[in-house]
């Protein structure tokens, strides 16, 4: 059927649902009505959206780790440790890579190997293979709300099982879990898959169960201009709201210039609310999430804590509703529960020390935020025009035209013409505009900021700046200065 940004008709949805639930035997354990009843019995303080709204009211920034291991008793032990010893306000369950690729046979092997070896042979929690009841054993063993975090282009069955399994938040989107994560999936296909996810969550909403949805903000996590990741977040938020989703957390990955990071969150929050209103979704609740540094991490744990704390400070000063926390094992792989908890404690230290400081309204932030909003408007206006008002069609056409273009993304449907580089203060600017539909004034602004760096470094604005900025991270710097 032709893609359109409209609520999936019930008959069409139910027919598709039969196929989805048949994709793996555990799908037969999903009964929507029974799942709604189960969800309605979950205490309110364990509902993700409720806790986010309380944080907004209390003006606090919540902390949330990533965490996922193969065996479910270990997953319970891990998450209990992170809430008890790490002080996590919100809990994740990070899903393993095989499940993200719908390769459930290989998951089975991974679970068996983990049981035999006694250690996690998967890089996350295999929720689909475990099914509804084991998910409920995990989510009901914890004091805090639990969110599904993953990177799945076709997450339809995962949604069915985890929503029935007592999770109350679900990360991802048809763009943000495709373009940065896969080479060949078409944007139209994954947007359609995620319309299924959002329609199912819309059905839970209509039955009185509010499930929080969080588009994946950071995208490739490498020098992403805030206007690009913010625009994708808003498109995914609008596509979700169209399917009946009411509780949406829009996100952004730390880039490193403090003024720009705070401005990005401010622009994201304001524009998300503006676009929800523009499209008549006045009953959606919007919150923000700030991801601590998504780039390469130092191996030295003390330096890693420096990076973690800096991301915590930026989140606190931006008054993000929640911050996603890194660990001192980031340079190595899946962290131990102790390392994960220590990243949380370091973060909470900064969040609480900076609780009374808010930099969102200082002039430099407002100036940068207004530039980001203007850039977002150029992009979103063009997406609307290309889609003739339909955001789903506009997104597909936007990628084809290079109006939406995510730097360093592997997907062959991404133009890959836009090239970012840092200016003299480390803020992300655009060196190659590709087909971004910016006004001349905005194009001139970016050029001027890069020329300023060029003058300071005594070299021309060039691709070498992009390369130097990518490698600067390993040397512990942001701006890749010439040798
Ligand atoms: C956005 C995805 C990348 C981030 O997600 C972390 N990540 C991946 N898998 C796990 C896991 N099983 N447990 C804890 N963190 C995990 C990586 O380290 C990185 O920061």
């Amino acid at each position: 059927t032709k893609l359109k940004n409209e609520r999936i008709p019930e008959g069409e949805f139910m027919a598709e649902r039969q196929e989805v639930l048949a994709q793996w035997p555990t799908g037969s354990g999903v009964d929507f009505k029974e799942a709604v009843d189960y969800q309605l019995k979950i205490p309110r303080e364990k509902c993700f959206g409720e806790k986010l709204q309380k944080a907004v009211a209390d003006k606090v920034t919540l902390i949330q780790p990533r965490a996922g291991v193969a065996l479910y008793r270990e997953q319970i032990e891990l998450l209990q440790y992170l809430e008890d010893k790490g002080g996590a306000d919100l809990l994740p369950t990070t899903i393993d890579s095989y499940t993200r690729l719908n390769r459930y046979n290989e998951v089975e092997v991974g679970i068996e190997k983990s049981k035999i070896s006694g250690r996690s042979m998967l890089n996350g929690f295999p929720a689909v293979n475990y099914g509804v009841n084991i998910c409920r054993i995990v989510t009901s063993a914890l004091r805090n709300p639990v969110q599904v975090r993953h990177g799945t282009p076709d997450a339809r069955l995962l949604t069915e099982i985890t929503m029935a399994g007592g999770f109350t938040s679900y990360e991802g989107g048809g763009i943000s879990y495709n373009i940065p994560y896969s080479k060949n999936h078409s944007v139209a296909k994954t947007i359609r898959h995620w319309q299924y996810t959002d329609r199912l969550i819309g059905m839970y909403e209509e039955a009185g169960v509010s499930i929080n949805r969080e588009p994946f903000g950071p995208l490739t996590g490498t020098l992403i201009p805030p206007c690009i990741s913010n625009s994708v977040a808003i498109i995914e938020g609008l596509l979700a709201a169209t399917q009946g989703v009411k509780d949406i957390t829009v996100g952004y990955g730390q880039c490193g210039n403090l003024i720009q990071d705070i401005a990005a969150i401010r622009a994201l929050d304001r524009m998300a609310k503006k676009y929800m209103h523009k499209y008549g979704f006045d009953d959606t609740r919007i919150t923000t999430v700030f991801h601590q540094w998504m780039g390469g991490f130092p191996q030295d744990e003390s330096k890693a804590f420096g990076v973690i704390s800096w991301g915590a400070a930026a989140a606190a000063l931006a008054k993000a509703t929640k911050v996603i926390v890194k660990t001192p094992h980031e340079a190595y792989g899946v962290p131990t529960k102790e390392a994960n908890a220590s990243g949380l404690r370091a973060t909470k230290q900064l969040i609480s020390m900076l609780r009374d400081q808010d930099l969102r309204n200082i002039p430099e932030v407002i100036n940068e935020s207004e530039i980001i909003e203007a850039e977002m408007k150029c992009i979103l206006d063009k997406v609307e025009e290309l889609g003739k008002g339909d955001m789903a069609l506009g997104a597909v056409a936007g990628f084809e035209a290079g109006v939406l273009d995510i730097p360093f993304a592997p997907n062959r449907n991404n133009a890959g013409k836009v090239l970012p580089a840092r200016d003299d203060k480390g803020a992300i600017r655009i060196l190659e505009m590709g087909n971004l539909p910016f006004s001349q004034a905005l194009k001139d602004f970016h050029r001027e900021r890069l020329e300023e760096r060029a003058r300071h470094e005594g070299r021309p604005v060039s691709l070498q700046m992009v390369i130097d900025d990518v490698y600067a991270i390993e040397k512990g710097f942001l701006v890749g200065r010439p040798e």
Side-chain angles (χ1 to χ4, degrees):
T1 49
K2 187 160 167 29
L3 182 69
K4 51 186 177 300
N5 182 29
E6 281 170 16
R7 198 169 279 204
I8 304 173
E10 188 173 353
E12 186 183 323
F13 181 82
M14 288 308 174
E16 183 175 350
R17 191 153 188 262
Q18 295 315 311
E19 290 167 34
V20 170
L21 294 179
Q23 289 172 342
W24 194 254
T26 49
S28 60
V30 177
D31 173 323
F32 180 72
K33 272 202 59 43
E34 185 273 339
V36 165
D37 293 341
Y38 181 85
Q39 278 275 359
L40 286 170
K41 292 194 191 78
I42 295 174
R44 294 180 75 80
E45 67 273 10
K46 283 193 62 175
C47 296
F48 216 89
E50 296 274 340
K51 190 147 190 183
L52 289 170
Q53 289 309 308
K54 188 173 183 316
V56 170
D58 298 346
K59 295 186 179 355
V60 295
T61 295
L62 302 178
I63 68 171
Q64 182 184 11
R66 296 182 174 95
V69 291
L71 299 175
Y72 73 89
R73 291 188 187 83
E74 275 74 351
Q75 182 68 7
I76 289 169
E77 187 189 315
L78 169 59
L79 294 179
Q80 285 176 337
Y81 188 87
L82 294 177
E83 60 184 1
D84 296 342
K85 301 285 188 300
D89 298 308
L90 296 167
L91 292 171
T93 285
T94 301
I95 302 298
D96 74 283
S97 297
Y98 287 129
T99 302
R100 298 180 183 195
L101 297 169
N102 313 116
R103 288 157 57 174
Y104 307 122
N105 286 305
E106 285 156 280
V107 173
E108 282 300 310
V109 172
I111 293 171
E112 282 319 302
K113 280 185 183 172
S114 304
K115 284 177 182 167
I116 293 162
S117 67
R119 46 188 290 276
S120 180
M121 304 301 277
L122 296 170
N123 64 354
F125 182 79
V128 170
N129 288 56
Y130 279 142
V132 174
N133 291 337
I134 288 180
C135 285
R136 289 179 179 179
I137 291 169
V138 173
T139 54
S140 61
L142 304 159
R143 282 184 289 107
N144 287 290
V146 201
Q147 175 184 45
V148 183
R149 300 190 74 86
H150 50 119
T152 312
D154 177 3
R156 293 173 293 170
L157 181 56
L158 179 66
T159 320
E160 290 279 2
I161 285 171
T162 53
M163 293 304 105
F167 291 88
T168 55
S169 176
Y170 200 78
E171 186 193 27
I175 298 168
S176 59
Y177 270 4
N178 174 358
I179 300 297
Y181 279 94
S182 82
K183 281 181 72 69
N184 296 311
H185 285 297
S186 81
V187 176
K189 184 172 79 167
T190 51
I191 284 181
R192 182 61 187 75
H193 285 333
W194 278 84
Q195 285 177 319
Y196 179 101
T197 281
D198 287 327
R199 182 78 282 273
L200 178 64
I201 287 170
M203 285 169 59
Y204 274 98
E205 279 283 356
E206 285 136 33
V209 175
S210 188
I211 303 284
N212 168 256
R213 280 279 291 111
E214 177 189 329
F216 176 58
L219 302 177
T220 59
T222 312
L223 300 174
I224 300 291
C227 63
I228 292 177
S229 56
N230 281 5
S231 296
V232 169
I234 285 173
I235 291 168
E236 291 190 339
L238 289 170
L239 294 178
T242 302
Q243 298 303 326
V245 170
K246 301 288 182 208
D247 196 300
I248 297 168
T249 302
V250 282
Y252 168 75
Q254 180 182 16
C255 285
N257 173 280
L258 182 63
I259 297 296
Q260 186 173 54
D261 285 336
I262 298 168
I265 289 284
R266 180 180 184 274
L268 178 59
D269 184 51
R270 289 162 53 94
M271 290 289 268
K273 288 165 179 167
K274 195 177 286 184
Y275 273 81
M276 287 298 158
H277 176 68
K278 175 177 181 181
Y279 282 85
F281 300 121
D282 288 309
D283 57 348
T284 50
R285 296 176 296 282
I286 296 292
T287 47
T288 58
V289 53
F290 186 90
H291 291 251
Q292 290 178 356
W293 184 248
M294 294 299 286
F297 251 67
Q299 292 187 344
D300 174 279
E301 296 208 358
S302 301
K303 292 179 181 175
F305 280 116
V307 178
I308 289 165
S309 299
W310 174 44
L317 294 169
K319 293 293 164 267
T321 318
K322 75 172 186 179
V323 59
I324 305 295
V325 178
K326 291 276 178 152
T327 83
H329 288 182
E330 179 61 23
Y332 301 100
V334 177
T336 61
K337 64 180 188 295
E338 292 81 3
N340 210 337
S342 61
L344 285 161
R345 291 196 303 274
T347 295
K348 187 150 278 189
Q349 179 68 25
L350 273 291
I351 295 292
S352 50
M353 286 178 80
L354 290 170
R355 178 171 181 170
D356 311 297
Q357 297 179 49
D358 177 349
L359 296 191
R360 288 176 295 179
N361 295 315
I362 64 172
E364 274 186 297
V365 167
I366 291 184
N367 290 343
E368 183 72 29
S369 182
E370 286 173 352
I371 287 164
I372 296 169
E373 287 191 32
E375 294 166 344
M376 292 167 70
K377 189 178 183 319
C378 288
I379 293 170
L380 292 167
D381 282 354
K382 195 69 180 174
V383 168
E384 285 174 337
E385 181 194 317
L386 290 172
K388 298 184 178 58
D390 183 306
M391 268 303 187
L393 293 176
V396 172
F399 277 100
E400 285 164 2
V403 162
L404 291 170
D405 182 347
I406 296 168
F408 313 113
N411 194 296
R412 63 179 174 72
N413 299 299
N414 185 63
K417 291 202 177 80
V418 169
L419 271 180
R422 294 184 185 277
D423 68 16
D424 215 38
K425 293 189 179 62
I428 306 283
R429 303 302 172 197
I430 297 169
L431 186 141
E432 284 297 338
M433 286 284 166
N435 291 329
L436 287 180
F438 280 9
S439 64
Q440 193 54 51
L442 284 171
K443 288 180 179 175
D444 294 346
F445 169 78
H446 283 261
R447 190 74 203 173
E448 176 39 41
R449 295 304 289 257
L450 291 170
E451 289 293 355
E452 181 187 53
R453 171 180 173 183
R455 285 193 294 277
H456 176 205
E457 292 180 349
R459 64 169 168 171
V461 172
S462 75
L463 189 59
Q464 191 57 44
M465 289 180 170
V466 183
I467 296 164
D468 293 345
D469 291 347
V470 170
Y471 285 104
I473 296 164
E474 267 129 55
K475 300 171 194 150
F477 295 99
L478 276 186
V479 185
R481 302 295 184 188
E483 297 303 319

